[in-house]
Amino acid sequence: MAFALSLLPIRVSLAGLFGGLLLLLSGCGASMMPLSDPAGAPPPPAVLQITDHGVGGLISQTGYGPKAIGKALPGYTIETIQTAGENGTQWTYAAFLDGLQMVQVFKGSGGKIGVVHGVGDSISGPNGERLGMSFAQSGLSRSACRVGKNLWRGMAICQAKNTQSVSLVFAISGYAGPFDRLPKNSDLGTASLQRILWTPSS
């Protein structure tokens, strides 16, 4: 079994969890700016997009299990991992492409999949969002967001533009609170996109 206790698509220890939660954050929309690393290199091409309709072949009727998830994502390796959601950690399935973790698939109701977390560098959101983009680059308004709680305290959880089922999770590296409200605008603008979430419609 693979062990991945982090918001990041890497395997880390529990001690590194909270720090890992705050490393990457940003959003994206019509006014999106190009994303690059400090050396100026562009992000890898997106191989999987998260939209209101689903995540690749993962849709609301996909069964929760490695065979069904693998069938919906041909070419991906499905492994069991332990990972952190907003309200705690749990065992679930992750899909890996060429050894890199792309999505985490949580259990839903009725034997179907639940929330899917996009965690890989080659994932894009419905408006082209990419992990590592800043909130300022996203073009989102503060009113589209709420403050996270529990393991995601102090983070901003925002509705992606023009969607009903896609949320963006932003965090600020080294953020020291307060954790019961969204950061002030000057801090929120520097937050970077940590995860892209798709919630199946009921």
Side-chain angles (χ1 to χ4, degrees):
M1 284 188 180
F3 183 78
L5 187 57
S6 173
L7 288 186
L8 299 175
I10 57 176
R11 298 176 176 93
V12 298
S13 67
L14 180 60
L17 171 63
F18 192 71
L21 296 178
L22 301 177
L23 285 178
L24 298 174
L25 280 190
S26 110
C28 166
S31 61
M32 184 187 315
M33 296 170 59
L35 172 67
S36 62
D37 67 19
V47 298
L48 199 60
Q49 186 178 31
I50 298 176
T51 71
D52 262 348
H53 303 293
V55 183
L58 296 171
I59 58 175
S60 58
Q61 293 305 307
T62 302
Y64 182 74
K67 289 184 179 180
I69 294 170
K71 183 176 181 180
L73 295 174
Y76 288 72
T77 301
I78 311 304
E79 297 184 17
T80 304
I81 64 164
Q82 189 176 32
T83 190
E86 184 173 9
N87 297 311
T89 61
Q90 66 186 84
W91 290 97
T92 189
Y93 294 107
F96 292 79
L97 183 65
D98 298 328
L100 299 176
Q101 190 181 149
M102 294 291 138
V103 296
Q104 299 170 355
V105 184
F106 290 76
K107 187 176 183 179
S109 60
K112 307 301 183 183
I113 64 171
V115 177
V116 177
H117 293 196
V119 297
D121 288 345
S122 296
I123 295 291
S124 68
N127 307 292
E129 296 92 339
R130 301 297 294 271
L131 299 188
M133 294 192 79
S134 72
F135 182 86
Q137 289 173 320
S138 75
L140 288 169
S141 68
R142 183 185 184 90
S143 63
C145 308
R146 67 171 176 86
V147 67
K149 56 185 183 296
N150 299 327
L151 293 182
W152 292 0
R153 67 180 193 146
M155 296 184 178
I157 302 173
C158 310
Q159 193 76 30
K161 285 186 174 181
N162 305 311
T163 70
Q164 297 294 318
S165 303
V166 182
S167 301
L168 309 174
V169 182
F170 293 88
I172 301 169
S173 179
Y175 184 63
F179 297 106
D180 60 345
R181 64 187 73 103
L182 289 171
K184 60 184 180 181
N185 288 340
S186 58
D187 289 333
L188 183 60
T190 67
S192 61
L193 184 58
Q194 182 78 21
R195 290 192 176 199
I196 303 173
L197 313 182
W198 171 72
T199 303
S201 56
S202 55

